[in-house]
Amino acid sequence: MIRQKTQVAIIGAGPSGLLLGQLLHKQGIDNVVLERVSAEYVLGRIRAGVVEQGFSDLMEEAGVADRMKAEGEIHHAVEIASYGEVHSIDLSGLTDGKVVTVYGQTEITHDLMNARDASGQKTVYETIDVQPQDIKTDNPFVTYSVDGQLYSLECDYIAGCDGFHGICRPSIPDGVLKEYEKIYPFGWLGLLSDTPPVNFELIYIKHERGFALCSKRSETRSRYYLEVPVDEKVENWSDDRFWEELKRRLPAESAERLVTGPALEKSIAPLRSFVAEPMQYGKMFLVGDAVHIVPPTGAKGLNLAASDVSTLYRILTKVYKENRIDLIPKYSEICLRRVWHGVRFSWWMTSMLHSFDESEIEGRIRSSELSFFLKEEAGRRVLAQQYVGLPYEDVE
Ligand code: APR
Ligand code: PHB
């Protein structure tokens, strides 16, 4: 057993773990990131693409925002089409100038990995059997193996940034966590292609054949999604079938403009809402997908992870610089207030725009609710405020 030591042990090298590591490093707080897979595998994941202002500001604070500012696309509006009628939601006009940035999660991860490598901070990839230990004591540590050698990483705190299928949440004893979960009766079939996006703004589409979403990674790379049955198999979807179905669901004008091409990636993701409370136990904090999951309809997954990171980074900075250990117990309550707003908005967008097996009156009530939020300014303002992201809460 080789013994190592750091101040904060971060488990997971996704956006949560890497952003937290970079922010702590900028404050002179030593941290080590332990990741189960290779850096290449992490970068191969095709994930979200919409960044709230709070996340952009955090990337700036971490000193890793240059490429996002140069290559990310500022969006002042988003479009929602309901049964062929397109509504443009004026995000900036309805939120005193707030915007979202379209910039792929893969690029964010790239930027964070490059910064971490350049700073010489320790990241251990392809670890085996990472296991938080003695979480409830003053001397927690994390055991893991690499190349057959067993290590013990002693630390002051553990940040569980290891995603929904990670080890940290399950390391908390039974009976401590209260878990909330909702599984949706459909999935999203996503396609990535090197074709010009059909529209500058993102388009969320409610259609009798099912939901669709037109997004992008750049002006030459598009990202599209189709609602499919929860048990659908990606093998059933040739590129041609995908493009034909997307055209059927697009508003007429967009369907005419659609440029198709070979899929670079095609996959089906299930949709769920999930929250575990509390988000901390002893000296371990749960962050991002490790403790909450939202359906991607609200573009909140990555952005809720960022607000968790912001809260934890600010608390730990005060702990190390001002000995504010009184702030430690506040992490979970602060995060959960914003998390539940994100969970609700993501559930609401999903409920408004997808097809459900429901009575006719429920269908009409659902359509009437969406119509209010698309056509009345009061409703559009609420939608815009939630989409650009609610403010981050101070830690005191
Ligand atoms: N040991 C070490 N690393 C682990 C372990 C483990 N036992 N289990 C999982 N990991 C790693 C995963 O390989 C992954 O790289 O933890 C990382 C978790 O990253 P994400 O799942 O991306 O979660 P997070 O960083 O919170 O980012 C949330 O990613 O999944 C999307 O929609 C989500 O956009 C959101 C964002
Ligand atoms: C994406 O670009 O992958 C994306 C954009 C907005 C969403 C979900 C996914 O709501």
Side-chain angles (χ1 to χ4, degrees):
M1 167 86 78
I2 295 177
R3 295 177 60 177
Q4 303 167 316
K5 189 162 179 54
T6 188
Q7 290 174 298
V8 181
I10 298 174
I11 301 175
S16 296
L18 292 172
L19 181 55
L20 177 63
Q22 186 62 18
L23 288 162
L24 293 176
H25 170 69
K26 298 276 285 182
Q27 293 297 327
I29 300 169
D30 187 65
N31 62 89
V32 172
V33 172
L34 304 176
E35 167 56 54
R36 176 165 62 182
V37 298
S38 68
E40 294 70 27
Y41 191 96
V42 174
L43 288 170
R45 294 179 181 135
I46 306 298
R47 293 278 173 77
V50 173
V51 177
E52 293 175 351
Q53 189 64 52
F55 193 161
S56 299
D57 295 345
L58 211 51
M59 290 282 282
E60 184 80 48
E61 191 172 343
V64 293
D66 290 350
R67 197 161 72 97
M68 181 171 65
K69 287 193 292 186
E71 299 176 19
E73 204 171 67
I74 301 293
H75 282 242
H76 297 266
V78 65
E79 294 184 6
I80 299 179
S82 178
Y83 300 121
E85 188 180 359
V86 181
H87 304 267
S88 178
I89 307 295
D90 178 8
L91 298 175
S92 298
L94 291 164
T95 63
D96 297 330
K98 289 187 180 176
V99 297
V100 294
T101 302
V102 173
Y103 188 64
Q105 178 175 313
T106 305
E107 307 317 316
I108 290 171
T109 308
H110 244 300
D111 298 338
L112 287 164
M113 280 183 179
N114 291 342
R116 187 166 184 87
D117 292 347
S119 68
Q121 298 173 81
K122 188 174 178 62
T123 309
V124 187
Y125 288 101
E126 298 180 276
T127 53
I128 308 282
D129 294 338
V130 169
Q131 181 59 59
Q133 309 276 6
D134 289 358
I135 308 169
K136 276 294 251 189
T137 72
D138 286 339
N139 303 295
F141 60 100
V142 180
T143 53
Y144 68 96
S145 298
V146 174
D147 301 333
Q149 174 62 56
L150 185 60
Y151 295 86
S152 168
L153 177 61
E154 296 168 15
C155 55
D156 301 328
Y157 300 100
I158 299 169
C161 303
D162 52 345
F164 186 67
H165 301 290
I167 187 64
C168 290
R169 192 177 71 248
S171 298
I172 295 175
D174 291 345
V176 171
L177 295 178
K178 168 69 178 167
E179 297 188 350
Y180 302 85
E181 185 166 48
K182 176 181 181 62
I183 307 288
Y184 295 88
F186 34 70
W188 277 21
L189 168 61
L191 181 145
L192 188 70
S193 59
D194 274 340
T195 56
V198 72
N199 200 48
F200 177 79
E201 303 299 1
L202 273 62
I203 316 176
Y204 293 79
I205 299 163
K206 182 182 181 73
H207 190 278
E208 53 267 15
R209 295 179 67 88
F211 170 82
L213 171 60
C214 302
S215 184
K216 59 173 69 172
R217 291 294 177 268
S218 69
E219 283 313 299
T220 59
R221 178 164 287 193
S222 300
R223 180 68 170 163
Y224 294 106
Y225 297 95
L226 293 175
E227 173 191 342
V228 293
V230 68
D231 56 359
E232 181 60 282
K233 299 285 181 278
V234 68
E235 300 78 50
N236 298 337
W237 287 82
S238 66
D239 293 1
D240 287 347
R241 184 185 176 195
F242 183 97
W243 294 120
E244 281 313 305
E245 185 58 35
L246 177 62
K247 274 184 189 166
R248 288 195 183 102
R249 299 184 190 184
L250 282 174
E253 188 188 328
S254 301
E256 286 170 20
R257 286 203 305 266
L258 181 65
V259 176
T260 66
L264 302 174
E265 188 268 352
K266 210 169 18 183
S267 56
I268 294 177
L271 271 62
R272 81 174 73 231
S273 299
F274 173 87
V275 180
E277 294 183 355
M279 292 176 50
Q280 63 191 103
Y281 179 73
K283 293 296 190 80
M284 184 165 76
F285 304 93
L286 299 176
V287 183
D289 271 20
V291 66
H292 45 71
I293 296 287
V294 288
T297 330
K300 291 301 170 201
L302 182 59
N303 290 298
L304 289 175
S307 48
D308 293 349
V309 167
S310 175
T311 300
L312 182 54
Y313 145 68
R314 298 194 195 292
I315 287 176
L316 289 178
T317 299
K318 286 182 178 289
V319 166
Y320 281 106
K321 293 183 183 280
E322 305 167 33
N323 196 32
R324 291 297 305 277
I325 56 173
D326 58 300
L327 295 175
I328 293 279
K330 294 180 67 177
Y331 167 76
S332 179
E333 67 178 80
I334 292 172
C335 289
L336 284 170
R337 279 191 282 271
R338 193 173 193 276
V339 163
W340 277 110
H341 283 308
V343 168
R344 187 210 62 80
F345 178 67
S346 304
W347 160 83
W348 182 80
M349 285 282 278
T350 303
S351 303
M352 288 293 105
L353 299 174
H354 290 72
S355 310
F356 290 82
D357 182 13
E358 61 193 349
S359 67
E360 285 185 326
I361 188 169
E362 285 170 322
R364 293 300 297 267
I365 288 169
R366 195 186 300 273
S367 293
S368 170
E369 179 175 354
L370 178 60
S371 173
F372 174 83
F373 280 88
L374 295 181
K375 296 178 179 175
E376 301 299 327
E377 175 165 343
R380 293 153 74 92
R381 189 176 302 281
V382 168
L383 206 165
Q385 286 172 337
Q386 294 277 2
Y387 193 82
V388 300
L390 299 180
Y392 287 11
E393 187 177 330
D394 289 338
V395 298
E396 60 181 335

